[in-house]
Amino acid sequence: MFEFLFKRPGDNKPGDKQPAGQEAQAEQAASTGAAVPGAAATPQRALQAEKLSQIQGDEAAAVEFVLQCEFSELRLTAAEFIQSPELLERVHTAMRNTDRRVAKLMQSRLDAHRHREAERRRGETMLEQARSLLKDELLTPNHVADLDRKWAVIAAPELQEEFGTVRAALAQRLEAQVQLQRAMIDRLAALRRLPSEPLPAAELAARLEALTQEQAQALQAPEHTSLPRGLVAEVGLEAQKLQASLHEIEAGQAALAAREAFLAAQQEKPAAEQNPDVLRKEWQRLPQARQGAQGEAMAALQQRFDALLASLPQPEARKPREPKETPAAKPKGQGKGEARSEGRARGADQHFLDTMDAMEAALQQGSLGTAAELDKGLKEAREKNMRGMHLTPAQSDRLAHVRAELKRLSDWARWGGNVSREELIKSVEALPTQNLTMSELAKKVGTMRERWKALDSLSGAAPKSLWERFDAACSAAYAPAAAHFRHLADERHANAARGQALIDEANAEIARLQSGEAEWKHVAGTVQRLRLAWSHLGAIDRKEKKRLDSLFTDALNTLQGPLEEQRKGEMAEREEIIEAAAAIDPHDRHALDTMRALQQRWQEHARALPLERKSEQALWQRFRAVCDEVFQRRKESMHEADIERRAHEAAKEAISARLEAAAADVTPASAGKLLRDAAAEWQAIGPVPRAHEARVEKRYHAAVAQIQHQLEAARRAASLAQASQLRDKLRLVQALEQQVASGGGAGDADWEARWSALPPLDADMERTLRARFDAALGALPEGRDGYAQLLERNRGALLNELLRAEIRAGIDSGPEFARERLKLQVEVLQSSLKSGHGAGHGAGHRDGQKGGQAGGSAQLRELAALPALVDARTASRIEQLFMRLAREGK
């Protein structure tokens, strides 16, 4: 009837002689004011209750009260005030083998405190991780999202405010990164739009300068490390292209200005001082402008120049002068041609005369330089043929006339040349004030020097003073350009040094690759970085550039070859991942896990070795399309499954509602079938929506627990009633045996009437007590002495069995039985070890462990069947044992 299962902490101290049943009745009487048998402990309980009311939340006083109180209900009430972990541990250690309810309360609060401490430590760890992320320069949204997922499962309200502050700072950094990247994208779009906008060079330069400054500020921003390197490189490349086109536009505008100034200067000069051939040569030497509207303006200037040339007087071809006729020397009627031929035959040779004719023609056309060269040739010819050449008088006169004309024109040309040189010097001296670019300034100075040389050939050598002024002005004007070109030369040398450093880095990477120390990811990043750095290297001397280009190309090809082979293998791996993703069954319950594993595998390969951007994007788009298709098909199937799960949810809710309705009226006879049917029906129903699964399961288990609680309460009530009946019959048997031992008392009919007035017990215990009752009843008329001796002899055996039963039940036997109890505990431990139960079934601090159910019931029946005399203390211990087991439902 009473199964011996687990230890229940004792409700009574060793000095408490009130039976457990009487204590419960006393507690009930104290609350109702009724009088009950054995109510002697009520004043003591009232005194301790008064002491409990004075605690007023003092934890230390509550601990002392719990350790000294003799009443379990008062101990439990006082234990509610204890919250400190140290005090909880102290009370738990003291009450672990004494009061199970208090010990469980202390243990639950200790567990809750440890859980809070663990959550707080986890929260502090995540808070520290958030602070480290806030200091990390390479902050990414994935890091923050992972941090949010981990924080969502942490219950640490005291850290929530601090974490919110750090999280807000992280959000501000992410927002700053987004704004910085968006501004970079807008800046790139603005740079790409600028060439298509019809803007003047000055405004275009201002816009470019503003965008360049914005780019420099963005690269100095705190979140500049989050900018994509490819995007930064594209902005720099677009800025360089725009800067180059701006230089071309400025050069075209400078060329137009130079030609406009040249036309204006020539139009102001008198027509007589201008030579069309010289103008054409100077016009051709001026810079050109060939872009868009500048080309149209150039054509208009060309038309103006052509009109200027057309307005100048054109020199006519001069006929050769014939020698004067001498009447005495010539027959009458002889032609001039015959005389000229005769003069040529008699005087100089034909080449000399042709040179003199060409000199006359050059003088007529105003080509003083050509005429001077021809005159020089005539002088050299006469010096070589001094003896063989004899000029006729006519030829000598003609030569003198030509040379006189040459001298006259040379004098005029020298004067005009000096005037032009003065103007040229003024133009050179004004160059520093024109804000020209260095290239335009160099071209201007070169043009001025060429014009000076042209004046030397046209108007003769210049005076030394003019030349010194002109040379000093040119040197002063060219000084900034010379410094600029020296700076460019230094930059070209520095760029060459950087190029050589890049080649050395590539060779070092080749050495690591050949030795097997390099990683493919690092090799790919090095190749991309070197290629980008080489493209931004800048200007280098042509000869040095050719050599460095050859070395860099060879090194890059050496790195690129194995890298491409490795990338082919990586592309094959990516293709396998795509095929595996396409083969996933969306209806499989593990489809999402498989897809996540494939995505993780893809990310690992992408981190291990990045492919070329174009190939990477193409493969990623294919893989993403396959994943989207799988997710879409799974979403469709999940929609159908969701409808089915909702139907399952309604069916399970109906089962829970039926159990809740039946909980109030359930009986032990019908409860078993009701729960079995509900469990079978529940298992037959399919799954419910995952979001509602916990709620549905909780309601079902709560309904089942409610029914089981009702059954447990009914069984406990029945067990208590049975224990009360057993107590009454055991008291009757003990009274009868006491009557036999004392030698007097009522007759058999009286005892039988009292026995019959008590309700029957279960069959085994009823037979056991009835046999003991009949034996005592039979010894009442005769055989008193023998039976009394038997009762006296069995007193020790009864005490021994009672002590053994108390050890198994975990009930305190009192200090007077401490030695015997320790001895029996050792015997029980040895018996358990011999039977193979292990140390977990020992005595001592393991009194509360589970014993053998059948052995415990048999021992109780033996205890009830053993006829022996008992005193009040022993009777109280027996009743306490029975009532304890009855309250525990055993």
Side-chain angles (χ1 to χ4, degrees):
M1 183 178 78
F2 299 103
E3 293 81 2
F4 187 73
L5 297 176
F6 292 95
K7 171 191 171 185
R8 182 78 172 185
D11 291 335
N12 297 322
K13 291 293 181 179
D16 187 6
K17 299 181 186 289
Q18 184 181 6
Q22 292 180 5
E23 180 187 340
Q25 294 177 6
E27 293 176 1
Q28 181 179 3
S31 61
T32 59
V36 295
T42 300
Q44 184 180 1
R45 184 186 186 284
L47 182 62
Q48 293 192 5
E50 179 65 23
K51 185 178 180 181
L52 175 61
S53 64
Q54 298 175 359
I55 290 178
Q56 298 295 332
D58 187 355
E59 291 191 48
V63 170
E64 296 300 329
F65 182 85
V66 170
L67 297 180
Q68 297 175 5
C69 182
E70 301 176 357
F71 299 95
S72 61
E73 294 298 331
L74 298 180
R75 284 198 300 268
L76 183 61
T77 303
E80 295 289 343
F81 298 107
I82 304 173
Q83 300 291 340
S84 301
E86 297 81 4
L87 300 179
L88 290 173
E89 187 68 34
R90 178 185 174 187
V91 174
H92 177 263
T93 303
M95 294 290 107
R96 183 172 54 188
N97 297 326
T98 304
D99 194 329
R100 184 177 181 182
R101 290 187 297 174
V102 174
K104 286 177 67 177
L105 177 61
M106 299 296 103
Q107 184 64 51
S108 64
R109 291 189 176 180
L110 283 172
D111 292 341
H113 176 73
R114 294 186 185 113
H115 177 71
R116 288 193 300 271
E117 286 296 318
E119 289 296 311
R120 185 183 60 80
R121 288 192 294 271
R122 289 177 59 197
E124 291 177 350
T125 302
M126 296 308 302
L127 187 59
E128 185 63 28
Q129 182 177 354
R131 293 194 185 100
S132 63
L133 282 179
L134 189 60
K135 299 177 182 178
D136 192 359
E137 293 183 357
L138 301 178
L139 178 65
T140 61
N142 293 337
H143 294 158
V144 180
D146 185 57
L147 179 68
D148 290 340
R149 286 194 298 270
K150 292 179 180 179
W151 183 263
V153 298
I154 295 177
E158 65 276 8
L159 300 176
Q160 187 65 40
E161 183 177 357
E162 188 174 359
F163 178 80
T165 303
V166 180
R167 180 62 179 81
L170 289 174
Q172 291 179 358
R173 284 195 59 188
L174 292 179
E175 182 65 23
Q177 291 181 3
V178 171
Q179 296 296 334
L180 197 63
Q181 294 178 10
R182 287 178 179 173
M184 182 73 70
I185 294 172
D186 296 340
R187 196 175 303 115
L188 178 59
L191 285 172
R192 289 174 175 172
R193 286 195 306 268
L194 277 181
S196 61
E197 296 180 358
L199 298 175
E203 184 176 354
L204 183 62
R207 294 278 296 277
L208 178 60
E209 180 66 22
L211 292 175
T212 305
Q213 291 179 359
E214 291 179 4
Q215 178 69 5
Q217 293 175 359
L219 294 180
Q220 297 297 326
E223 301 297 334
H224 71 279
T225 55
S226 65
L227 293 173
R229 288 181 293 180
L231 184 61
V232 175
E234 289 182 9
V235 172
L237 185 60
E238 289 294 332
Q240 289 180 0
K241 291 180 180 179
L242 192 57
Q243 187 68 38
S245 63
L246 180 61
H247 290 331
E248 294 179 1
I249 293 173
E250 292 177 349
Q253 292 180 353
L256 291 176
R259 289 178 180 264
E260 182 72 28
F262 178 78
L263 282 175
Q266 297 303 325
Q267 288 174 354
E268 292 177 357
K269 292 181 180 181
E273 298 179 3
Q274 296 181 0
N275 190 331
D277 293 336
V278 176
L279 290 179
R280 287 191 185 93
K281 291 180 181 179
E282 292 183 0
W283 182 263
Q284 293 297 331
R285 284 194 296 267
L286 292 175
Q288 298 283 338
R290 305 180 181 274
Q291 290 186 353
Q294 294 179 355
E296 297 177 358
M298 187 68 186
L301 291 176
Q302 184 65 39
Q303 293 177 1
R304 290 175 56 190
F305 179 73
D306 293 340
L308 176 63
L309 290 179
S311 64
L312 296 178
Q314 302 296 326
E316 297 180 359
R318 182 177 177 183
K319 296 181 180 180
R321 293 195 310 175
E322 298 179 357
K324 296 181 180 180
E325 295 182 358
T326 304
K330 297 292 180 181
K332 186 177 181 179
Q334 188 177 4
K336 294 181 180 181
E338 294 177 358
R340 190 178 183 89
S341 299
E342 182 181 356
R344 289 182 178 178
R346 293 178 181 178
D349 57 3
Q350 185 63 38
H351 176 70
F352 187 86
L353 296 177
D354 291 340
T355 302
M356 191 164 52
D357 292 340
M359 182 177 175
E360 288 179 345
L363 289 174
Q364 290 178 1
Q365 294 178 0
S367 300
L368 296 180
T370 304
E373 292 294 330
L374 292 174
D375 184 54
K376 184 178 179 181
L378 291 175
K379 291 179 181 179
E380 291 176 355
R382 290 194 66 181
E383 289 177 357
K384 290 180 180 179
N385 300 320
M386 183 65 68
R387 297 180 179 180
M389 179 181 296
H390 298 282
L391 296 177
T392 63
Q395 291 174 347
S396 298
D397 293 340
R398 182 184 175 195
L399 180 60
H401 177 74
V402 170
R403 284 179 173 171
E405 184 67 17
L406 175 62
K407 183 177 182 305
R408 184 182 68 83
L409 293 178
S410 297
D411 292 339
W412 278 107
R414 186 176 296 107
W415 178 82
N418 291 336
V419 174
S420 298
R421 288 187 180 95
E422 290 287 349
E423 294 179 356
L424 197 59
I425 292 172
K426 292 180 181 179
S427 299
V428 174
E429 290 174 347
L431 286 178
T433 63
Q434 295 181 5
N435 295 327
L436 299 175
T437 62
M438 296 299 104
S439 59
E440 293 176 351
L441 182 60
K443 290 180 181 179
K444 283 281 188 181
V445 174
T447 302
M448 295 299 180
R449 288 189 179 274
E450 290 178 359
R451 291 176 62 184
W452 185 276
K453 292 179 181 179
L455 288 175
D456 286 346
S457 63
L458 292 175
S459 58
K464 185 178 180 181
S465 60
L466 285 179
W467 163 248
E468 291 177 351
R469 285 179 56 197
F470 176 75
D471 186 63
C474 288
S475 299
Y478 188 73
H484 173 70
F485 292 139
R486 282 195 301 271
H487 177 68
L488 292 181
D490 294 340
E491 284 188 351
R492 287 194 295 271
H493 291 310
N495 292 337
R498 287 197 295 270
Q500 186 62 47
L502 293 178
I503 294 173
D504 294 341
E505 184 179 356
N507 291 330
E509 189 67 23
I510 291 172
R512 286 194 295 271
L513 181 62
Q514 292 175 350
S515 64
E517 297 178 358
E519 297 180 356
W520 290 113
K521 180 181 180 181
H522 186 268
V523 173
T526 302
V527 169
Q528 183 178 2
R529 180 172 50 80
L530 290 177
R531 185 183 290 116
L532 182 62
W534 191 267
S535 64
H536 296 163
L537 195 57
I540 303 176
D541 291 336
R542 182 175 300 178
K543 184 177 180 181
E544 190 70 11
K545 175 70 173 176
K546 185 176 181 181
R547 182 183 69 83
L548 293 177
D549 279 342
S550 177
L551 294 176
F552 181 76
T553 302
D554 295 341
L556 209 61
N557 290 337
T558 304
L559 283 175
Q560 194 75 16
L563 181 61
E564 289 300 326
E565 292 296 329
Q566 189 69 20
R567 278 176 170 171
K568 289 180 181 179
E570 280 294 322
M571 292 180 69
E573 289 287 340
R574 307 286 178 87
E575 292 287 351
E576 292 180 2
I577 295 176
I578 293 174
E579 293 176 0
I584 293 177
D585 182 10
H587 302 287
D588 186 9
R589 59 182 298 183
H590 301 295
L592 292 180
D593 296 335
T594 305
M595 182 61 69
R596 292 191 184 98
L598 290 177
Q599 291 175 345
Q600 182 66 25
R601 181 180 169 191
W602 184 283
Q603 293 297 331
E604 291 174 356
H605 280 280
R607 286 191 294 267
L609 177 58
L611 303 178
E612 291 290 343
R613 184 178 182 85
K614 185 176 180 181
S615 302
E616 184 81 38
Q617 289 294 331
L619 290 173
W620 170 249
Q621 293 297 334
R622 289 177 53 198
F623 179 66
R624 184 175 179 180
V626 172
C627 294
D628 292 342
E629 183 180 358
V630 172
F631 285 134
Q632 182 63 29
R633 292 166 58 192
R634 181 171 179 83
K635 183 178 180 181
E636 295 174 357
S637 62
M638 289 296 291
H639 180 67
E640 298 175 357
D642 186 57
I643 296 175
E644 184 178 358
R645 288 192 182 97
R646 289 179 182 176
H648 295 164
E649 179 185 4
K652 288 191 174 183
E653 291 285 2
I655 295 175
S656 300
R658 188 169 68 249
L659 291 177
E660 291 170 353
D665 302 330
V666 69
T667 61
S670 63
K673 184 176 184 304
L674 178 63
L675 292 177
R676 286 193 300 272
D677 294 344
E681 187 177 353
W682 184 275
Q683 294 297 329
I685 299 174
V688 301
R690 184 171 299 178
H692 302 166
E693 185 176 4
R695 179 181 57 79
V696 173
E697 290 283 345
K698 182 178 180 181
R699 182 182 179 186
Y700 170 74
H701 290 303
V704 172
Q706 185 177 2
I707 294 177
Q708 291 176 346
H709 177 72
Q710 294 291 341
L711 294 177
E712 182 67 22
R715 284 195 295 269
R716 188 180 297 274
S719 179
L720 288 174
Q722 190 74 11
S724 179
Q725 297 169 9
L726 173 61
R727 180 196 61 197
D728 294 340
K729 285 200 172 185
L730 184 59
R731 285 179 180 177
L732 180 61
V733 172
Q734 291 172 351
L736 178 59
E737 291 174 348
Q738 189 69 31
Q739 186 68 28
V740 172
S742 62
D748 295 344
D750 185 25
W751 291 105
E752 282 290 350
R754 293 173 62 184
W755 178 273
S756 300
L758 297 175
L761 306 174
D762 64 272
D764 292 338
M765 191 59 71
E766 181 72 22
R767 284 195 303 271
T768 300
L769 287 181
R770 183 63 191 183
R772 182 178 173 182
F773 179 78
D774 291 342
L777 190 62
L780 187 60
E782 58 184 15
R784 287 174 179 265
D785 295 337
Y787 199 75
Q789 294 176 4
L790 175 63
L791 293 176
E792 187 64 33
R793 287 196 306 271
N794 289 341
R795 184 191 294 268
L798 177 64
L799 291 175
N800 188 43
E801 291 299 327
L802 177 59
L803 188 61
R804 188 181 298 274
E806 287 176 338
I807 291 174
R808 288 183 178 273
I811 300 176
D812 190 12
S813 303
E816 66 272 19
F817 300 104
R819 184 181 299 277
E820 290 81 359
R821 183 183 179 98
L822 180 60
K823 182 179 179 181
L824 285 178
Q825 285 175 346
V826 175
E827 292 178 1
V828 171
L829 177 60
Q830 292 175 350
S831 176
S832 299
L833 293 175
K834 289 180 181 179
S835 61
H837 290 292
H841 294 273
H845 67 282
R846 295 178 178 86
D847 286 342
Q849 299 295 330
K850 181 179 179 180
Q853 179 178 351
S857 300
Q859 187 178 10
L860 291 179
R861 285 195 299 273
E862 291 176 1
L863 184 64
L866 184 62
L869 292 176
V870 295
D871 54 9
R873 172 64 172 150
T874 303
S876 174
R877 289 170 60 194
I878 294 174
E879 291 179 2
Q880 181 182 1
L881 174 64
F882 287 165
M883 295 302 294
R884 170 64 65 83
L885 296 179
R887 282 198 301 271
E888 294 180 357
K890 300 181 180 179

XYZ file of all heavy atoms in Angstrom, residues 251-279:
209
model
N 44.487 74.132 -73.779
C 45.476 74.331 -74.846
C 44.818 74.854 -76.115
O 45.350 75.737 -76.803
C 46.201 73.014 -75.119
N 43.626 74.343 -76.443
C 42.905 74.834 -77.620
C 42.524 76.285 -77.476
O 42.650 77.078 -78.425
N 42.047 76.659 -76.276
C 41.681 78.061 -76.074
C 42.910 78.970 -76.142
O 42.852 80.085 -76.674
C 40.977 78.209 -74.726
C 39.614 77.541 -74.683
C 38.937 77.705 -73.332
O 39.555 78.205 -72.397
N 37.689 77.290 -73.258
N 44.060 78.481 -75.611
C 45.294 79.266 -75.711
C 45.728 79.414 -77.171
O 46.195 80.490 -77.587
C 46.399 78.605 -74.892
N 45.563 78.327 -77.949
C 45.925 78.409 -79.363
C 45.052 79.434 -80.093
O 45.529 80.228 -80.914
C 45.798 77.040 -80.003
N 43.748 79.422 -79.807
C 42.853 80.402 -80.429
C 43.239 81.821 -80.026
O 43.236 82.751 -80.851
C 41.405 80.104 -80.020
C 40.787 78.826 -80.585
C 39.399 78.635 -80.019
C 40.722 78.880 -82.113
N 43.601 81.987 -78.721
C 43.989 83.324 -78.269
C 45.273 83.785 -78.957
O 45.412 84.956 -79.344
C 44.169 83.318 -76.755
N 46.228 82.834 -79.126
C 47.485 83.203 -79.788
C 47.248 83.621 -81.244
O 47.796 84.623 -81.733
C 48.467 82.046 -79.704
N 46.426 82.873 -81.937
C 46.151 83.205 -83.341
C 45.357 84.513 -83.438
O 45.561 85.319 -84.357
C 45.396 82.061 -84.013
C 46.288 80.837 -84.239
C 45.546 79.677 -84.858
N 46.446 78.551 -85.050
C 47.080 78.274 -86.185
N 46.892 79.067 -87.240
N 47.878 77.237 -86.295
N 44.445 84.723 -82.499
C 43.684 85.973 -82.503
C 44.614 87.164 -82.280
O 44.511 88.199 -82.955
C 42.624 85.915 -81.400
C 41.728 87.140 -81.340
C 40.758 87.198 -82.505
O 40.409 86.121 -83.017
O 40.370 88.320 -82.894
N 45.550 87.005 -81.329
C 46.497 88.086 -81.070
C 47.411 88.320 -82.277
O 47.747 89.468 -82.619
C 47.322 87.752 -79.822
N 47.823 87.206 -82.919
C 48.689 87.349 -84.095
C 47.970 88.104 -85.215
O 48.526 89.016 -85.846
C 49.126 85.962 -84.569
C 49.987 85.986 -85.801
C 51.335 86.315 -85.729
C 49.455 85.700 -87.056
C 52.127 86.327 -86.875
C 50.238 85.715 -88.188
C 51.581 86.035 -88.102
N 46.710 87.740 -85.464
C 45.943 88.432 -86.501
C 45.770 89.913 -86.167
O 45.897 90.788 -87.026
C 44.582 87.765 -86.673
C 44.555 86.450 -87.478
C 43.158 85.863 -87.448
C 45.007 86.691 -88.911
N 45.467 90.182 -84.865
C 45.284 91.583 -84.486
C 46.572 92.381 -84.667
O 46.556 93.527 -85.153
C 44.801 91.659 -83.035
N 47.707 91.782 -84.306
C 48.983 92.495 -84.459
C 49.328 92.738 -85.925
O 49.817 93.810 -86.306
C 50.093 91.697 -83.774
N 49.034 91.758 -86.794
C 49.372 91.916 -88.215
C 48.437 92.897 -88.900
O 48.833 93.595 -89.843
C 49.323 90.553 -88.899
C 50.333 89.554 -88.358
C 51.758 90.045 -88.431
O 52.139 90.758 -89.387
N 52.563 89.704 -87.426
N 47.187 92.905 -88.464
C 46.244 93.830 -89.091
C 46.567 95.287 -88.753
O 46.216 96.203 -89.488
C 44.817 93.490 -88.650
C 44.284 92.210 -89.282
C 42.942 91.821 -88.723
O 42.467 92.453 -87.779
N 42.335 90.813 -89.309
N 47.250 95.524 -87.606
C 47.615 96.885 -87.241
C 48.845 97.396 -88.004
O 49.097 98.591 -88.069
C 47.870 96.953 -85.738
C 46.611 96.739 -84.904
C 46.922 96.737 -83.445
O 48.134 96.837 -83.094
O 45.980 96.621 -82.625
N 49.631 96.470 -88.559
C 50.842 96.870 -89.278
C 50.489 97.376 -90.676
O 49.503 96.926 -91.277
C 51.805 95.692 -89.375
C 52.391 95.266 -88.039
C 53.340 94.111 -88.225
C 53.940 93.680 -86.901
N 54.890 92.555 -87.077
N 51.333 98.247 -91.231
C 51.111 98.686 -92.624
C 51.293 97.516 -93.577
O 52.068 96.589 -93.334
C 52.161 99.769 -92.837
C 52.578 100.185 -91.465
C 52.412 99.009 -90.578
N 50.557 97.561 -94.663
C 50.628 96.472 -95.635
C 51.997 96.391 -96.277
O 52.458 95.305 -96.670
C 49.549 96.658 -96.702
N 52.704 97.529 -96.389
C 53.999 97.520 -97.072
C 55.055 96.775 -96.256
O 56.036 96.297 -96.821
C 54.444 98.965 -97.322
N 54.875 96.709 -94.928
C 55.875 96.058 -94.090
C 55.630 94.563 -93.928
O 56.378 93.895 -93.227
C 55.887 96.714 -92.711
C 56.269 98.177 -92.745
C 56.238 98.769 -91.355
O 55.973 97.995 -90.400
O 56.497 99.980 -91.199
N 54.638 94.058 -94.542
C 54.263 92.655 -94.333
C 54.613 91.828 -95.557
O 54.421 92.266 -96.694
C 52.760 92.527 -94.038
C 52.359 93.215 -92.748
C 50.883 93.055 -92.453
O 50.185 92.428 -93.233
N 50.430 93.654 -91.363
N 55.123 90.668 -95.285
C 55.514 89.726 -96.325
C 54.593 88.518 -96.236
O 54.522 87.856 -95.195
C 56.968 89.303 -96.127
C 57.493 88.509 -97.312
O 56.752 87.844 -97.998
N 58.805 88.613 -97.537
N 53.854 88.175 -97.271
C 52.930 87.032 -97.208
C 53.617 85.718 -96.853
O 53.067 84.900 -96.109
C 52.313 87.005 -98.596
C 52.441 88.408 -99.096
C 53.728 88.929 -98.538
N 54.802 85.479 -97.394
C 55.482 84.210 -97.110
C 55.846 84.106 -95.620
O 55.669 83.059 -94.980
C 56.745 84.100 -97.960
C 56.418 83.984 -99.440
O 55.288 83.530 -99.730
O 57.258 84.334 -100.273
N 56.354 85.202 -95.079
C 56.703 85.195 -93.655
C 55.462 84.995 -92.795
O 55.457 84.261 -91.800
C 57.422 86.502 -93.295
C 57.693 86.555 -91.786
C 58.734 86.615 -94.063
N 54.373 85.673 -93.172
C 53.126 85.507 -92.411
C 52.643 84.066 -92.432
O 52.152 83.528 -91.433
C 52.055 86.438 -92.971
C 52.258 87.929 -92.725
C 51.131 88.724 -93.346
C 52.326 88.230 -91.240
